[in-house]
Amino acid sequence: MDAVTIRSSAPRPPASAPPVILQSVTTPPPVHAPSAEIVVSAVRLARPGLPSFPPPPAVGRDRFVAPGQNPFRQVRQEPVSTFSIDIDTASYGFVRASLNRNVLPQPAAVRAEEMINYFPYDYAAPTSSSRPFSSNIAVFPSPWTAGRKIVRIGIKGYAVRPAERPRANLVFLIDTSGSMQSPNKLPLLKQSLAMLVEQLGPRDRVAIVAYAGSAGTVLEPTPASDKGRILAALDRLSAGGSTSGAEGIRQAYALAQAGFDPRGVNRVMLATDGDFNVGITNPDALKGFVERERGKGVFLSVLGFGMGNYNDALMQVLAQNGNGAAAYIDTIGEARKTLVEEASSTLIPIAKDVKIQVEFNPATVAEYRLIGYETRMLAREDFDNDRVDAGDVGSGQSVTALYEIVPVGGPGTAGPLRYAPAKAAAPGAGEYGFVKIRYKLPKSEKSQLLSTPIDRTREVTRFADAPRDARFATGVAAFADLLRGGKYSGSIDYDRVLEIVNAARGDDPYGYRAELVQLVRAARTAPGLTPLER
């Protein structure tokens, strides 16, 4: 039998570990940085007793920021949970691309909130752009640990009507470096942006900047009505050279500022695998630059392509600090979803700096954990500070957050304290908690506040009686936890996840939920170790 060389995903970090940058490279050996970040190389394994072969060339270095999952917290010690909204979907796309290759994704690539929020949910919509959110609360039994409950917080954004849509001043910033040559990178990128161009109206404008070893303007700002000229400029792009991403970003923002529309949407759309290797590559320096441009009214969205040297870590930093979302485009179908079916939500923000704060009631809740949002956590005092940046919500978007709670007297994760503080009566004694949502309108720097209690009128006693969308989101959350190692998924397994999501699929006009069912089935048999080519 021939020897087989395989690649292993990096080991899963414990919840208390510092952030980890995972690089699926075969050489050099692991390097431990002196900072709080650790650089981990994947290991090579060979079957015992078989002859060894010289190692093949490095096969990729996909990079992910991997903070530990949010732990359970004691309500009497930390009653308040605060986080920034997140509408990115890049994690789901990467998970799908991995499973479609019959490989389990790196645990660090799985972000529960991005898996959950990949799907639209049928929440009641607000009727006015001046109050752009409606909230939907549900409480129901946990399907994986008896005696615990799930709190679903659903938000629906106002859908801008076509007649109200602001003009768009867009700059496509396109990576044409040598790493973009494969069919699932630059060719797919060009097809994807061509789809978006077809959705634009005659009042919109498009410019194109391409970057490789150096950067340059491919197309000056051009009315979207001149689609032939824009599409021809896209079609002429070809890949080659190293990646001077920072210089491309500077030129793209300069074009956006030159055509700035004070009443419109001004956005740079970066399309890349994120492999910046020339010029400024320090994430902090790039982060500072996009933050300053955000303050001038130009936002940044990021479209990721390809595997092998995909730099998710950098792309998350840029999107989160540029008031934009990060999506991962692995198929032409995903391009259609992101840039055609959801074009309005991709391009048009209805609110910015959206934060959620939940105060749990110690009289009814002993412990809680927020599912996902690990990279979006905020300090309690950040909620009321309008100078603290947070996520944006686009036209018509839905956003979902899930908490797992342990009711007082339920199966907690920590034993009682001998000197626990005495219980005190509190307002809303029958409530589980209180939700506050703070946001700014797109052209305002002053935040507004919405609030609602989590009371027992929102509760059902059987999981099967929970709202269908809530059950589906919970199934997705369980799937994400299993992909990360199953630390919090209790008794649940892939078969139970299939039961939950199949029963809660509901109306699925585009087949997104049916696709998830197939991914869960694939995960049951996909290996975590993949053969390397020799």
Side-chain angles (χ1 to χ4, degrees):
M1 183 182 295
D2 292 338
V4 177
T5 305
I6 56 180
R7 175 180 54 181
S8 168
S9 297
R12 295 180 173 91
S16 59
V20 174
I21 301 296
L22 298 184
Q23 295 195 133
S24 54
V25 297
T26 57
T27 57
V31 177
H32 296 278
S35 67
E37 291 186 338
I38 302 173
V39 179
V40 178
S41 295
V43 298
R44 284 188 151 306
L45 303 175
R47 288 181 181 171
L50 295 178
S52 61
F53 290 84
V59 295
R61 41 194 186 85
D62 299 318
R63 281 161 281 178
F64 297 88
V65 175
Q69 291 173 268
N70 287 323
F72 275 96
R73 301 190 182 277
Q74 305 293 309
V75 174
R76 291 199 174 276
Q77 297 172 0
E78 298 180 69
V80 177
S81 171
T82 308
F83 63 98
S84 164
I85 216 72
D86 192 342
I87 53 170
D88 294 349
T89 60
S91 177
Y92 183 89
F94 194 90
V95 167
R96 175 180 56 208
S98 297
L99 290 172
N100 283 340
R101 294 168 59 238
N102 194 36
V103 180
L104 287 174
Q106 299 176 24
V110 182
R111 292 186 288 270
E113 74 281 2
E114 296 186 25
M115 300 279 288
I116 294 166
N117 285 313
Y118 180 82
F119 303 94
Y121 296 98
D122 190 23
Y123 304 143
T127 58
S128 170
S129 59
S130 62
R131 191 177 177 87
F133 292 124
S134 63
S135 60
N136 191 300
I137 308 294
V139 183
F140 47 92
S142 165
W144 52 76
T145 302
R148 296 180 184 170
K149 300 178 186 294
I150 303 296
V151 175
R152 190 279 311 275
I153 301 170
I155 297 172
K156 181 72 171 180
Y158 174 75
V160 176
R161 293 186 288 268
E164 299 173 330
R165 188 175 81 79
R167 295 184 296 271
N169 167 37
L170 304 179
V171 180
F172 296 162
L173 174 56
I174 301 175
D175 184 350
T176 56
S177 63
S179 66
M180 294 290 290
Q181 288 179 339
S182 59
N184 65 341
K185 293 189 179 182
L186 186 60
L188 178 59
L189 183 162
K190 291 159 67 172
Q191 288 179 286
S192 302
L193 292 180
M195 285 182 173
L196 175 59
V197 170
E198 294 293 347
Q199 303 306 305
L200 300 177
R203 300 185 306 149
D204 302 324
R205 297 177 70 83
V206 172
I208 301 175
V209 173
Y211 65 92
S214 58
T217 299
V218 174
L219 181 72
E220 296 287 344
T222 300
S225 56
D226 195 352
K227 287 183 170 57
R229 185 180 173 199
I230 298 170
L231 295 175
L234 283 172
D235 190 57
R236 289 193 298 268
L237 297 174
S238 60
S242 53
T243 318
S244 182
E247 178 58 29
I249 286 176
R250 279 192 289 262
Q251 291 197 26
Y253 274 106
L255 274 181
Q257 289 291 351
F260 188 82
D261 186 341
R263 296 187 176 181
V265 173
N266 301 277
R267 187 177 297 275
V268 173
M269 302 192 71
L270 169 61
T272 179
D273 61 6
D275 187 29
F276 292 9
N277 53 41
V278 173
I280 299 174
T281 58
N282 184 308
D284 288 337
L286 291 168
K287 171 186 171 183
F289 179 79
V290 300
E291 282 179 342
R292 290 190 293 274
E293 295 299 321
R294 178 192 75 209
K296 300 174 186 176
V298 179
F299 296 170
L300 174 70
S301 294
V302 181
L303 305 176
F305 292 83
M307 282 183 161
N309 62 342
Y310 174 64
N311 191 344
D312 178 87
L314 177 60
M315 294 171 67
Q316 288 290 315
V317 166
L318 295 179
Q320 289 187 14
N321 291 279
N323 273 21
Y328 180 83
I329 310 294
D330 58 325
T331 65
I332 197 67
E334 182 62 24
R336 186 174 295 109
K337 175 182 184 290
T338 302
L339 300 174
V340 176
E341 293 156 8
E342 300 175 358
S344 292
S345 59
T346 299
L347 296 178
I348 305 170
I350 57 152
K352 63 182 181 180
D353 293 342
V354 184
K355 309 168 189 175
I356 294 180
Q357 187 169 84
V358 180
E359 179 183 356
F360 288 99
N361 181 0
T364 55
V365 180
E367 300 178 35
Y368 68 89
R369 74 175 179 99
L370 174 61
I371 299 176
Y373 291 94
E374 286 87 0
T375 65
R376 293 285 195 166
M377 301 307 294
L378 297 173
R380 178 176 174 178
E381 61 270 19
D382 290 343
F383 183 76
D384 293 313
N385 186 347
D386 281 355
R387 296 182 65 84
V388 174
D389 181 55
D392 294 4
V393 175
S395 172
Q397 281 185 319
S398 59
V399 182
T400 299
L402 300 177
Y403 282 91
E404 183 177 11
I405 65 171
V406 179
V408 169
T413 62
L417 296 174
R418 179 179 177 88
Y419 302 108
K423 296 180 180 180
E431 298 171 354
Y432 288 114
F434 196 72
V435 179
K436 294 189 289 187
I437 302 169
R438 188 171 289 283
Y439 66 93
K440 299 173 187 171
L441 294 175
K443 302 298 182 181
S444 174
E445 294 305 317
K446 184 175 177 58
S447 67
Q448 301 183 43
L449 182 67
L450 299 174
S451 59
T452 185
I454 307 171
D455 58 36
R456 296 187 186 275
T457 64
R458 322 293 182 105
E459 185 174 7
V460 296
T461 57
R462 298 194 315 154
F463 179 77
D465 295 332
R468 186 167 56 195
D469 277 347
R471 286 183 281 123
F472 185 84
T474 303
V476 178
F479 181 41
D481 190 72
L482 289 171
L483 291 174
R484 288 196 65 159
K487 179 176 181 178
Y488 292 110
S489 48
S491 62
I492 210 164
D493 57 15
Y494 288 124
D495 288 333
R496 177 62 176 137
V497 170
L498 282 171
E499 291 177 10
I500 291 171
V501 296
N502 262 321
R505 276 167 58 179
D507 187 28
D508 187 25
Y510 299 110
Y512 304 148
R513 299 186 177 195
E515 177 188 66
L516 176 80
V517 170
Q518 298 308 314
L519 295 182
V520 178
R521 288 175 175 155
R524 288 190 302 184
T525 57
L529 305 173
T530 62
L532 291 179
E533 297 179 359
R534 294 206 306 268

